Amino acid sequence: MTHPVASAAVQLRFAESWFTVCGLDALIPGRGVAALLPDGRQAAVFRDRADRLYAVDNRDPFTGAAVLSRGLTGTHRGRPFVASPLLKQRFDLLSGECLDDASVRVAAYRVRAAAPANVLD
């Protein structure tokens, strides 16, 4: 008998432990999702077309709005970024640095795809 295989879990490193955000299949390449963290903040989580995962704070530091998960993704000089949908500043998805103003940054999180905990036989 064949059983559906559960999707890998997307996990974010938070407060010295891994926190499960969603299933890998919930992330559409090039589009972000907002994840509520245990402390009430939000992270913007992304998957690119090569299945690399990224996570940064969802709050745009220029406006204070939690919108980075709705931003457009791309690369600039080999650096993956998300552009805020409001004022269009670009944030490096690895470091959180603003590519348009190096004095501004958002938190960047380690993120991974983990095997599902339970798979049916």
Side-chain angles (χ1 to χ4, degrees):
M1 176 180 245
T2 304
H3 297 282
V5 176
S7 170
V10 175
Q11 296 181 328
L12 184 141
R13 183 81 172 165
F14 180 79
E16 304 306 318
S17 62
W18 290 98
F19 172 73
T20 299
V21 173
C22 63
L24 184 60
D25 58 353
L27 293 177
I28 299 169
R31 313 248 347 232
V33 298
L36 184 61
L37 300 176
D39 68 354
R41 290 184 295 154
Q42 294 180 21
V45 183
F46 300 91
R47 174 183 179 188
D48 69 12
R49 298 196 192 291
D51 286 335
R52 290 178 294 243
L53 300 171
Y54 308 96
V56 295
D57 191 59
N58 196 34
R59 191 181 68 76
D60 179 341
F62 292 95
T63 65
V67 295
L68 291 183
S69 63
R70 300 292 175 229
L72 297 174
T73 59
T75 57
H76 176 70
R77 296 184 179 165
R79 296 172 73 178
F81 70 82
V82 60
S84 172
L86 298 178
L87 300 177
K88 309 304 185 233
Q89 284 88 356
R90 298 167 299 160
F91 297 92
D92 185 301
L93 288 170
L94 293 171
S95 69
E97 178 185 0
C98 179
L99 301 179
D100 303 297
D101 182 345
S103 69
V104 178
R105 67 183 329 107
V106 294
Y109 302 95
R110 288 178 55 201
V111 64
R112 70 181 183 189
N118 297 323
V119 178
L120 299 175
D121 293 322

